[in-house]
Amino acid sequence: MYKGKHFLTCEDWTNEELDDVFDTSFDLKEKFKNEEPTRVLRDKTLFMIFFEQSTRTRNSMEAGMTQLGGHAHDLTADKMQLSHGESAKDTAIILSRMGHGIASRNCFYGIGYDYLSEMAKHSTKPVMSLQDDVYHPFQGLADLMTIFEYFRKDTKGLKVTVSWAYADTHSKPLSVPQTQALLFPRYGIDLTIANPPEFPLSENIIECANKNAQKGGGSVKIVNDMDEAFEGAQIVVPKNWGGFGAYTVDEFLANEEECKKEMNVNLEKYHDWICDRKRIKLADKNVKLMHALPADRNHEVTDEVIDDDNISIVFDEAENRLHTAKAIMSLTM
Ligand code: CP
């Protein structure tokens, strides 16, 4: 039914279609636990092209392909003629003639999603986003699967807070919080997004998230105060993202160095945006912590909170990357 369907964003999949993906994910998870074989992609090949580093995405896809009976090529742009300027179109045509699926991570702001869309336009096999500058659809699936496991399938009225948090590693893409902002309200979740004024999500994504909320029965609220956002939350997701949303793509690409400098100056104002025990106390007494990982420990979230087994469900969330990846691959390839 889904053979050949691209997976660039959850926005291209209806709730009914995503429900099939979740059913498949839960089935595959159970079979993985029982060590039952699930070799539905025997002799099939997936080409994965990473423009950036990855632990969870790379390994969930590669292990997933092995467990489904196929093989994944783990490619980086520098191993390919992409580094000499070969186009997305030519690459997609050629790889889709040699295998059964193409997956890629390209998070460059203003470039990544367009690059994947260009591949999808020319590939005769499904193209999957392993994260780009706008969306991280596999992460969204794993997040929602984990929420279903810890709360209930009917998530109407669940209070979830996605909050910007300080990190000193690198300017992270907007794609994780944007995917959550779009997806969670479709399932009736009341979502609060907190960020300092200089670190907004993209305006068009918030517009779509509000439309999704109207249709799905959830809601979207945006605040500039981390304490306010934590009050009564049943799930908190403290996560850093870069200040890309403060610029249009054209503005950013025209003045990239200036924008990056400004983002770094703004970042230093917000060291106190951290998920610590004090903030957890503001949330619901049974609050759960989620994070896509890697976490910038003791900047985004303290060790004490992320290592508290009564609160933190980050490793279940990470494991669910495997089961949801296998579901999408087994349904589309
Ligand atoms: N959450 C996530 O995408 O992790 P990786 O960057 O390690 O793939």
Side-chain angles (χ1 to χ4, degrees), residues 50 53-58 105 130-131 136 139 176 291-294 321:
F50 283 90
Q53 299 84 345
S54 164
T55 295
R56 280 139 291 270
T57 307
R58 184 191 305 281
R105 168 174 285 191
L130 302 179
Q131 186 177 20
H136 194 354
Q139 186 63 51
V176 171
H291 192 298
L293 303 180
R321 291 294 309 274

Side-chain angles (χ1 to χ4, degrees), residues 266-284:
N266 288 333
L267 177 70
E268 292 311 314
K269 299 185 212 164
Y270 298 110
H271 281 253
D272 58 336
W273 281 61
I274 183 169
C275 175
D276 56 10
R277 184 65 70 185
K278 185 171 65 73
R279 286 210 164 95
I280 284 292
K281 284 198 176 133
L282 298 172
D284 183 84

Side-chain angles (χ1 to χ4, degrees), residues 113-128:
Y113 176 70
D114 290 348
Y115 188 90
L116 284 163
S117 300
E118 177 71 1
M119 280 198 147
K121 197 166 132 194
H122 297 286
S123 171
T124 54
K125 304 288 162 49
V127 173
M128 295 161 236

